[in-house]
Amino acid sequence: MPATKSGANVILVDNGKILLLLREGGWKSSHWGPPGGGVDKGETPEQAAVRETFEESGLRVKPEDLELLIQRTKHNYGMIYFYITDKFSGKDIKLSYEHSDFAWVDIKKIDEYNTTFEPDELAVIKKAVLSY
């Protein structure tokens, strides 16, 4: 069966740290990952990234502030997009029902976390965050 879904994720950067959310139930439960989720019908990946960031963290990003960092097919899921930005608004994290905790993780210490990232994705993310 061909993959028909797409997913969009946002790496939010703040002074060398990125926002990770602890997944609760479902895919990769008990793993840390960025805000993100499926691209709905009629939605662009950027629109999904904006929506998912707000739904999962309560923080707001603008499509024009998102830089495409990674675009790839993943397993049998479909196309996955990772965006990165250090421009966001809001200060209080408001978790969705999909998550039980959050952390602003120093990118130099990310290997201490059980994340949803594939090793090659994490290598690209580390390099990008260090340049912000």
Side-chain angles (χ1 to χ4, degrees):
M1 171 185 249
T4 57
K5 296 182 179 183
S6 293
N9 304 276
V10 178
I11 308 300
L12 294 172
V13 182
D14 189 17
N15 294 316
K17 295 181 179 181
I18 66 169
L19 178 64
L20 293 182
L21 309 175
L22 183 59
R23 297 187 57 82
E24 190 67 38
W27 179 79
K28 292 217 173 185
S29 184
S30 300
H31 285 67
W32 293 87
V39 178
D40 291 341
K41 186 174 182 174
E43 203 174 36
T44 66
E46 293 87 356
Q47 290 168 330
V50 168
R51 176 182 52 75
E52 288 285 349
T53 299
F54 181 70
E55 287 178 0
E56 295 189 351
S57 71
L59 301 177
R60 294 208 180 263
V61 294
K62 295 177 182 174
E64 60 268 21
D65 292 331
L66 298 176
E67 176 187 347
L68 182 60
L69 185 61
I70 301 170
Q71 178 181 343
R72 66 179 298 180
T73 56
K74 191 164 185 178
H75 308 298
N76 197 26
Y77 184 80
M79 191 61 70
I80 303 294
Y81 302 85
F82 285 90
Y83 296 93
I84 189 168
T85 187
D86 62 353
K87 295 176 178 67
F88 56 90
S89 60
K91 27 185 172 164
D92 296 326
I93 304 295
K94 297 175 185 86
L95 295 175
S96 73
Y97 69 92
E98 298 174 282
H99 303 94
S100 60
D101 201 1
F102 74 93
W104 285 98
V105 177
D106 185 322
I107 198 64
K108 295 175 184 170
K109 296 182 179 181
I110 197 165
D111 293 327
E112 298 172 15
Y113 287 75
N114 189 17
T115 70
T116 59
F117 302 120
E118 300 289 340
D120 58 333
E121 294 168 348
L122 189 53
V124 171
I125 292 165
K126 284 179 179 178
K127 185 176 180 181
V129 171
L130 290 173
S131 71
Y132 265 77

